[in-house]
Amino acid sequence: MSAPTGPMSAPTSSVRSRPAPDASGAGARAAAPRPLRRRPWVRHTLRAGSLLAALGLWQLLTALDVNLWLRFAQFPSATDVVREFADRLGTGAYWQDLTDSLSRILTGFVLAAVLGMAVGTAIARSPLVSDLLGPVLEVCRPIPAIALVPVAILMFPSNEQGIVFITFTAAFFPVMVSTRHAVRALAPVWEEAVLTMGGGRGRVLVSVVLPGALPGILGGLSVGIGVSWICVISAEMISGAYGVGYRTWQDYTIVDYPGVFVGMTTIGVLGWLTSTAVELAGRRLTRWLPRTETTGRPAPTRKEAATP
């Protein structure tokens, strides 16, 4: 008996020719390779291992008195620097230098952050302010902050105020420029939406301008804190009475190379801690932004977050 033909055979043929499910569906997402997820202890171990490897290489090169293109024979060994560092931790002079440098950097950086954001926002939103302050700031911006040491000595009655001024100048321009660009890059539709709903200029500034420009401002703050450390240490070397930079230069003049490396290590640790503090504060202020975590886990999109 032959198989029936005609309309009754249509369902069978349609079932056999059914296309494969879309590769972009849930099955494809499940089959897609997952990014590598490293546990926190693995990441911490890798970071500690990289530091220990660098110290071990330093110790090996100085112990063997390597003198190829680079000369390590005159370098103090890592153990000498660690021993000198441990000795200085027990002295009051070390902590006084550290406190003086931190107070200078924090004072200058906070002033630069506040004024840099205010001036950058004003220049970006007001053509009048841009015409009045823009040319002056653009002429002053290429001047290195450390080159202002003679100006600070002539202008301020004390070296302390002059060093704070140099630190402020070093951080002010990165913050101002990043704020200006971030504010100008905002979409006008956001401001128009607030104005349409009856909001004033103050409401626009608080609800649209500052939150929208915050990621760009934080980039300027991260750059500013690093440049501030460079300039405050240089200023302390030139005209300071106390501070990590002053002590490092004094150790160099008396040929105390382990002491020089102690100062360099202290500067590096302080710079790393302050930069990390700025980065953590920025992440806390911008928790509403989608981002990819450093652990390799991408932040879920809205569609994926809504999927049970």
Side-chain angles (χ1 to χ4, degrees):
M1 184 175 180
S2 61
T5 58
M8 295 299 294
S9 62
T12 303
S13 61
S14 63
V15 171
R16 292 179 179 177
S17 61
R18 181 177 297 171
D22 188 5
S24 61
R29 286 199 302 268
R34 305 286 294 180
L36 178 62
R37 296 185 181 182
R38 293 175 178 170
R39 296 181 179 181
W41 67 268
V42 175
R43 299 181 64 240
H44 296 324
T45 302
L46 290 175
R47 294 183 179 188
S50 66
L51 289 176
L52 292 177
L55 291 175
L57 180 61
W58 177 5
Q59 179 68 26
L60 180 64
L61 292 174
T62 53
L64 297 178
D65 292 336
V66 175
N67 278 326
L68 299 176
W69 181 61
L70 299 176
R71 300 175 299 175
F72 290 93
Q74 302 298 323
F75 257 53
S77 64
T79 53
D80 293 336
V81 175
V82 171
R83 191 179 305 112
E84 180 69 18
F85 192 85
D87 293 339
R88 295 200 178 190
L89 286 177
T91 63
Y94 176 83
W95 295 105
Q96 181 180 357
D97 292 334
L98 189 147
T99 303
D100 290 342
S101 294
L102 275 177
S103 63
R104 292 163 179 168
I105 195 76
L106 292 178
T107 303
F109 179 73
V110 170
L111 291 175
V114 174
L115 292 180
M117 287 188 290
V119 174
T121 303
I123 291 177
R125 294 186 57 81
S126 173
L128 178 61
V129 176
S130 178
D131 292 337
L132 291 176
L133 297 182
V136 178
L137 294 176
E138 288 302 316
V139 170
C140 296
R141 185 161 66 97
I143 302 175
I146 196 61
L148 299 176
V149 170
V151 177
I153 294 174
L154 294 174
M155 189 167 52
F156 293 96
S158 68
N159 289 340
E160 189 71 20
Q161 296 172 353
I163 294 174
V164 171
F165 166 73
I166 293 170
T167 307
F168 159 80
T169 306
F172 171 79
F173 287 104
V175 177
M176 185 271 295
V177 172
S178 64
T179 303
R180 182 185 65 189
H181 289 314
V183 172
R184 286 178 176 174
L186 294 176
V189 67
W190 297 350
E191 180 176 351
E192 294 171 359
V194 175
L195 295 175
T196 301
M197 291 185 292
R201 297 179 64 88
R203 185 67 176 177
V204 170
L205 181 65
V206 174
S207 301
V208 175
V209 175
L210 293 181
L214 191 57
I217 295 174
L218 291 173
L221 292 175
S222 298
V223 175
I225 190 67
V227 178
S228 294
W229 271 113
I230 296 173
C231 291
V232 72
I233 296 300
S234 301
E236 288 176 350
M237 288 182 176
I238 296 174
S239 62
Y242 295 99
V244 179
Y246 168 80
R247 193 67 56 188
T248 303
W249 183 254
Q250 291 300 311
D251 290 333
Y252 171 73
T253 57
I254 62 175
V255 199
D256 183 5
Y257 292 125
V260 172
F261 278 83
V262 168
M264 294 169 58
T265 304
T266 303
I267 296 166
V269 171
L270 290 177
W272 172 64
L273 290 177
T274 52
S275 298
T276 302
V278 171
E279 181 179 354
L280 291 177
R283 288 192 174 191
R284 198 165 189 82
L285 291 173
T286 58
R287 287 177 295 181
W288 48 273
L289 283 175
R291 61 166 59 91
T292 300
E293 299 292 341
T294 56
T295 57
R297 295 189 295 250
T301 61
R302 293 183 179 179
K303 184 177 180 181
E304 293 175 349
T307 303

